[in-house]
Amino acid sequence: MTDALNTKELKCFNAVNKSVKKVDGISLVTGQPVYTNDFDVPGALYVRLVRSSHAHAIIKNIDTSQALKIPGVVTILTYKDLPRIPFTRAGQGYPEPSPYDTFVLDKKVRYVGDPVAIVAAETERAAKLAVKAVKVEYEVLDAVLDFEQAISENAPIIHDEPEAVGIHDASRNIAAHFEMEIGNIDETLKSCDKVITRTYHTKTQLHAMMEPHASISYFDPNGKLTVISSTQVPFHARRILSRLFNIPIGDIRVIKPRIGGGFGGKQAIHLEPYVVAVTLKTRRPARMVLDRSEVSMATNIRHEMKYTVTVGATSNGEIKVIDMEGLSNTGAYGEHALTTFMVAGSKTLPLYNKVEAVRFSGNVVYTNLPSAGAYRGYGAPQGLFALDCTIDELARELGLDPLDVKEKNSIREGESSPIFRIMGEGREGVDQIVRSCKLQECIDKGKAAIGWNEKYGKRLKNGSKVRGVGCAIAMQGSGIAKIDMGAATIKMNEDGSFNLLLGATDLGTGSDTIMAQIAAEVLQVSYDKIKVYSSDTDLTPFDTGAYASSTTYVSGNAVRKAAEMVKEKILEKASVYLEEPRENLMVENAKVVSTKTGREVTYEELGTKLFYTFEQEQIAATASYVGEESPPPFLASFAEVEVDLETGKIELVKFVSYADCGTPLNPVQALGQLEGATMQGIGWALFEDVIYGKDGRMLTNDFFTYKIPARMDYGKLECGLVDSYEPTGPFGAKSIAEIGIDTPIPAIANAIYDATGVRLRKAPFNSEELFFEILKEEV
């Protein structure tokens, strides 16, 4: 059940702020062939990978002789067949802040599942048989499977290859390190009435998107290397493929069809190098689709993180000091290592901007486990779990309402934080003032919806079951300021429609639809007159890709600029055609109208004249946009749980989230993003648990063993949006895609404490651990 948006205080729009249907909705629900694996490429070879069975080992020998005898097997490639070029799989700004510590194939394997050889065959069955027939002889090495042991004195070195660059300290398995401090922590702590230190640990999480990773490569009739891929970052994929295979960027084309979910899991280059290697070797098309176990253990997972937080405050709850020291597990390779770690601080610490001293420091370490990478929230949920819950504990020890403490110390409209400038993503950020912040409205609505005043601290019991409530507040960002760039091209057709060419990547979020709405709002046409095409590195302008909650704000501003340029050209031509001064003209309802004489010309008439008889010219424009700031959305969430004291079973009775995302350009889609992120956070808090064997093998790599909650697994979910308008956003919009996942873990943890008096500091939470903690309390 969601709250309808109150739009009374919002501007009156014609196309945006409307819950129109998705532009690709019909094709998706009618099962049209829209995804990568739906593309029929005749003669494509099936590509499968031989993967390591050891967490850490040197390959001594690979025998492919028996595999090559299997009918239909065309080629098998090993590290000896490929150029040894270090790179990072991360699809992010260039130069990347991630270390170049990866090879397409290497002589050393660093986790169970690491690729060892590429098999290409005429049939999928032959490829699978060949994978089993390849014999690999290993020299098995000691492995690091506990990230807290990665920097111990006797830990084996995971990255000892001399070609790797950008690793902070390879000899100690430290992929990245960061530290910053404002004010004097020690002196300020002395002036506090209450100081507490707590440690919180968040385990990893699988993306579990519906569509597995898929990629196809081939040479087009002109000899251009073409790659169709389910990627969130087509332009980064093109750039990285160019580096790996020494092919000019202009000779590579990457096409992104519809994507069936990504959540950051497709913000890296996972399959493209393998199909390209086969196509280059055989000159034939190649196709590769990961199975579910490969998606789970051989792409990216979320960074496991542990934070020790010290908070100092006055007796009335004014927070004066925050000190966070963290450790992050990047797994076998370091893509997104530094940036996710920094986001754990940069998207949480500014929330409490009234402190006198703040410090954030720690390491990101390698282990012999699957590689971590980008994931919705991008480090912010892990940081917020530790920070929010420590503040919650502080408030309770002071005898104060935690919500009151969070509320009184949080950032407000017109305020800033030095963290914005000091902590960017992999480098310094930018100074910025929060121009729109309706956090208080979010708190007020959520507080009323959960019944905070009636339920907090009451521990209402019903037999063996007891209920409690908890809260958490959060902020995120809207793209990465001065890094993320989006561009859009709009051209006018003679029937008054427009082609909108976008580099932005719709990964199921509906971004193509809201981009059409933005263009339609500027051009004053219905959104179905905007024909969207995204994204294709040969046909659409550059865009850094879909990540960091950037598409609505960054790409949306590019679309608005391009549409305004097209609109101005229409007015200029209409001025000549109507013989009216430009300043007398305006656009409305797909036509140009004179405010003085009432003369008018429709887009269709003007476009047809411009194409065939009158000042013949194609009206078109391209615009790009780089954000000078990253306006944060805000969120307040509340959880009500019921715990059975005899079993420890946790039932989520109700979860409430209210968000400030500026103007929701498509309210239904915006609420869908908030609801989806919230559900993903609930799953992480209570259901989803990645388990490894003693040898580092992931044991929960399918949907039978990795439990994603269904709708019947939790109680009432209430999400809503508050009235807000971000002046720098396209028609007042900020982001909404990620923030919903930040709060479920701390809100549920705080609610469990409110119900039981047991503080769980390791997520996900399970009933067995809670039950034993309850027994300890009773003893």
Side-chain angles (χ1 to χ4, degrees), residues 318-339:
E318 293 178 6
I319 299 174
K320 300 179 71 174
V321 181
I322 298 175
D323 185 7
M324 295 180 69
E325 182 178 10
L327 183 69
S328 175
N329 180 5
T330 192
Y333 301 99
E335 52 255 37
H336 302 281
L338 174 62
T339 41

Side-chain angles (χ1 to χ4, degrees), residues 630-650:
S630 175
F634 294 92
L635 180 73
S637 297
F638 297 81
E640 181 177 7
V641 301
E642 183 174 84
V643 178
D644 190 330
L645 298 174
E646 294 182 350
T647 64
K649 182 180 179 182
I650 306 164

Side-chain angles (χ1 to χ4, degrees), residues 454-676:
E454 298 76 31
K455 298 174 180 175
Y456 168 70
K458 302 298 191 297
R459 291 191 182 177
L460 301 174
K461 292 195 69 173
N462 180 17
S464 64
K465 298 179 179 178
V466 60
R467 289 193 176 192
V469 292
C471 66
I473 60 175
M475 57 168 282
Q476 195 79 26
S478 300
I480 308 170
K482 296 188 175 181
I483 292 180
D484 288 345
M485 193 272 268
T489 296
I490 299 176
K491 69 182 182 72
M492 185 179 185
N493 299 314
E494 66 264 46
D495 66 347
S497 66
F498 298 85
N499 294 113
L500 170 57
L501 308 179
L502 283 168
T505 306
D506 188 337
L507 58 155
T509 57
S511 65
D512 281 359
T513 304
I514 64 167
M515 296 301 143
Q517 290 180 262
I518 291 171
E521 185 68 40
V522 175
L523 295 167
Q524 290 296 292
V525 297
S526 60
Y527 86 108
D528 58 356
K529 290 291 186 181
I530 308 296
K531 311 301 179 184
V532 183
Y533 181 70
S534 70
S535 37
D536 180 327
T537 57
D538 261 18
L539 303 180
T540 60
F542 180 83
D543 193 290
T544 45
Y547 56 82
S549 293
S550 63
T551 302
T552 296
Y553 185 74
V554 176
S555 304
N557 267 321
V559 170
R560 180 173 182 169
K561 286 178 64 178
E564 287 172 345
M565 292 165 68
V566 167
K567 173 184 165 184
E568 191 56 38
K569 290 184 179 183
I570 291 172
L571 289 170
E572 288 174 6
K573 293 299 179 185
S575 173
V576 178
Y577 183 73
L578 295 173
E579 298 180 337
E580 289 266 358
R582 159 67 184 84
E583 57 268 23
N584 291 352
L585 302 178
M586 59 175 288
V587 298
E588 65 175 16
N589 297 327
K591 58 189 178 184
V592 179
V593 180
S594 170
T595 58
K596 298 294 183 183
T597 65
R599 297 186 65 194
E600 64 181 38
V601 59
T602 66
Y603 286 176
E604 183 175 5
E605 180 183 355
L606 182 63
T608 303
K609 294 288 185 183
L610 288 171
F611 273 21
Y612 297 107
T613 58
F614 168 75
E615 293 198 348
Q616 288 168 277
E617 180 179 335
Q618 168 70 67
I619 287 184
T622 296
S624 56
Y625 182 83
V626 179
E628 293 296 319
E629 50 194 87
S630 175
F634 294 92
L635 180 73
S637 297
F638 297 81
E640 181 177 7
V641 301
E642 183 174 84
V643 178
D644 190 330
L645 298 174
E646 294 182 350
T647 64
K649 182 180 179 182
I650 306 164
E651 182 180 348
L652 182 60
V653 178
K654 184 175 183 179
F655 198 92
V656 175
S657 274
Y658 274 84
D660 162 15
C661 66
T663 302
L665 298 177
N666 187 315
V668 165
Q669 288 189 184
L671 279 170
Q673 287 293 302
L674 181 57
E675 291 172 347

Side-chain angles (χ1 to χ4, degrees), residues 41-45 216-228 245-248 250-253 255 275-287 538:
V41 181
L45 297 171
I216 300 169
S217 66
Y218 59 90
F219 287 108
D220 76 4
N222 296 317
K224 172 170 281 192
L225 178 64
T226 303
V227 179
I228 304 172
F245 297 101
N246 194 27
I247 301 173
D251 291 340
I252 303 173
R253 177 184 181 188
I255 300 169
V275 291
V276 166
V278 170
T279 293
L280 291 176
K281 173 69 182 301
T282 64
R283 312 300 292 180
R284 293 183 57 180
R287 174 192 299 272
D538 261 18

